[in-house]
Amino acid sequence: MTDDKPTMRITTPTDLAGAVPHMVGYQPDNNQIAILGFHGPNYIGAAVHTWSAALGDGPAHAAEVTDYISRAFGGRADSYLAIGYGPEGPERALLFQDAFTQQTESKVQAWAVDNDRLQIFTPGRGWSPEAPLETTAGTEFAMVTGAQPAATREELVQQYEPVSEDQQAHLNPDTAERFATMAPTAQYEWAARALTEGTESKTGLTDEQVSIIAHATATSVHIRDNLLADVVGNGVKADRLVDVFRRCDDARRPDMADLAGAAQFISQGSTVAIEAITRHTTGELGRMANHAATLGLDPKPLVDSIDRNELRQRLTAADRQHYRSHIASHSPLLPNPDPRAPTRPAPGTAHPLRQGPGAWMDMDR
């Protein structure tokens, strides 16, 4: 399954400027500037930079941020649009236009938005008269997706916070006991199937699917890595993993933050989302994903390095270890640590060694 996300039909500059909040997830405020990347007529993605008094408005700072943003887009974008917001928007947009022109060979435009009115800069002619923003495209997009942009960045961050304890998804104890006895490959396949079914469902993941994915992820890094590979080329799956992170129980949330944060990075998700998710992790994978996103690194080299055959081989090796450990723990030849329980027969006794019914044999199903 590939990405099949709704799109917006943009026909005018005022349409595009009015749709920016839907593109970035929230309404940029007066101390921010949005950089939109395009490949030909196709929208690639957006980055939003926040100015502060400590940063200043100088060309050096614009050049530093431009380097970060252009590295994030890599070779995917061949043109950029800088939109400055608020009273200082026109000046800041021109600073970024100059910086992109100097650092890249891409075509760059400078726009400014203040009080829901747009101005467009044309070299040799200056800024255009103000025109009101159009919200038709964004409104239609919201009607199809059911998602409205947040009012602020802080409000967007709140959308990635874990649910309250009484809303968390917990696995049925009998299912959890059965799941714990399964080999890693079987656990992965169950979790992968749950993720796929939840991705294809219009209603999203059930509580059981959330719990199965979270249990599997916390059980083994090999399961986690195979689930991460399943996300490649499927941003909807990456978003479903964010849902698992938010709804799983507290004990498994750090591991899910690792997986969900990395999934957002390789699917070129919002840096706001990656930062909000990975603040809950204690693992290296999530921290690396957040660091890479902060540096503006292109995820393509990481995606290209994923070897599905190698990842499945690691699962197979984990299966062998699982079987060896299970057999050893049930072997009557091992010392019995419980003096109250029957001990193994002494050498030379008439009692033959007997295996149990072999309950472990069904663990690869």
Side-chain angles (χ1 to χ4, degrees):
M1 179 177 176
T2 58
D3 270 341
D4 189 22
K5 291 186 176 181
T7 58
M8 285 183 279
R9 180 175 175 80
I10 304 294
T11 58
T12 67
T14 51
D15 270 341
L16 177 56
V20 168
H22 296 270
M23 296 174 172
V24 302
Y26 65 97
Q27 174 62 55
D29 63 28
N30 285 350
N31 67 336
Q32 292 180 316
I33 184 163
I35 308 295
L36 278 57
F38 299 87
H39 185 83
N42 299 317
Y43 169 72
I44 302 298
V48 180
H49 175 63
T50 302
W51 291 82
S52 69
L55 298 176
D57 289 345
H61 175 67
E64 180 181 353
V65 178
T66 294
D67 178 64
Y68 155 74
I69 293 174
S70 60
R71 282 190 287 114
F73 280 103
R76 295 177 297 128
D78 56 17
S79 65
Y80 294 93
L81 169 60
I83 307 179
Y85 288 83
E88 305 298 325
E91 179 182 353
R92 292 169 177 168
L94 289 176
L95 284 172
F96 273 91
Q97 183 184 53
D98 291 343
F100 271 101
T101 300
Q102 293 172 12
Q103 294 186 27
T104 72
E105 298 180 355
S106 305
K107 179 182 177 182
V108 189
Q109 297 184 65
W111 293 5
V113 171
D114 189 23
N115 291 321
D116 293 329
R117 301 184 71 84
L118 170 67
Q119 288 182 285
I120 297 176
F121 182 81
T122 303
R125 298 169 62 181
W127 289 98
S128 68
E130 294 182 345
L133 301 184
E134 295 288 340
T135 59
T136 303
T139 300
E140 292 177 352
F141 181 78
M143 290 177 64
V144 172
T145 62
Q148 292 285 351
T152 64
R153 185 183 190 278
E154 291 70 27
E155 184 178 301
L156 178 61
V157 170
Q158 288 298 316
Q159 296 179 9
Y160 296 99
E161 286 300 304
V163 300
S164 59
E165 186 174 356
D166 63 312
Q167 295 179 307
Q168 292 175 3
H170 295 275
L171 199 59
N172 177 280
D174 292 338
T175 305
E177 184 176 355
R178 175 192 171 197
F179 190 82
T181 65
M182 297 171 69
T185 294
Q187 290 185 341
Y188 157 71
E189 289 173 350
W190 193 353
R193 184 168 59 252
L195 179 59
T196 298
E197 291 174 353
T199 297
E200 295 174 346
S201 170
K202 293 182 179 180
T203 58
L205 296 161
T206 65
D207 282 353
E208 182 176 87
Q209 289 168 338
V210 166
S211 300
I212 287 294
I213 295 167
H215 272 70
T217 300
T219 298
S220 167
V221 295
H222 304 305
I223 297 175
R224 179 203 68 189
D225 291 348
N226 275 272
L227 288 172
L228 180 62
D230 290 343
V231 169
V232 173
N234 195 319
V236 181
K237 277 190 175 181
D239 291 341
R240 290 290 190 263
L241 289 177
V242 174
D243 190 34
V244 178
F245 153 75
R246 295 187 63 244
R247 293 167 56 194
C248 71
D249 60 279
D250 292 335
R252 292 162 183 82
R253 183 162 291 109
D255 296 292
M256 277 309 309
D258 249 12
L259 175 57
Q264 285 295 305
F265 174 67
I266 67 171
S267 63
Q268 299 165 346
S270 163
T271 55
V272 176
I274 297 170
E275 179 186 354
I277 293 167
T278 56
R279 68 177 58 173
H280 294 271
T281 186
T282 56
E284 189 65 23
L285 179 64
R287 288 197 293 264
M288 289 174 60
N290 185 48
H291 185 60
T294 301
L295 292 176
L297 300 183
D298 186 349
K300 189 175 185 301
L302 173 60
V303 172
D304 291 343
S305 72
I306 295 177
D307 186 333
R308 294 303 303 266
N309 290 330
E310 180 180 348
L311 292 177
R312 291 307 295 264
Q313 288 171 9
R314 292 177 184 176
L315 266 183
T316 301
D319 286 348
R320 290 195 293 268
Q321 180 62 38
H322 170 83
Y323 290 138
R324 284 196 295 266
S325 299
H326 192 83
I327 292 172
S329 67
H330 288 72
S331 172
L333 297 177
L334 293 179
N336 194 324
D338 187 352
R340 298 170 299 176
T343 59
R344 61 180 178 177
T349 62
H351 301 289
L353 296 178
R354 294 192 299 173
Q355 292 278 144
W360 60 272
M361 291 296 290
D362 66 352
M363 287 189 295
D364 62 341
R365 293 205 294 264

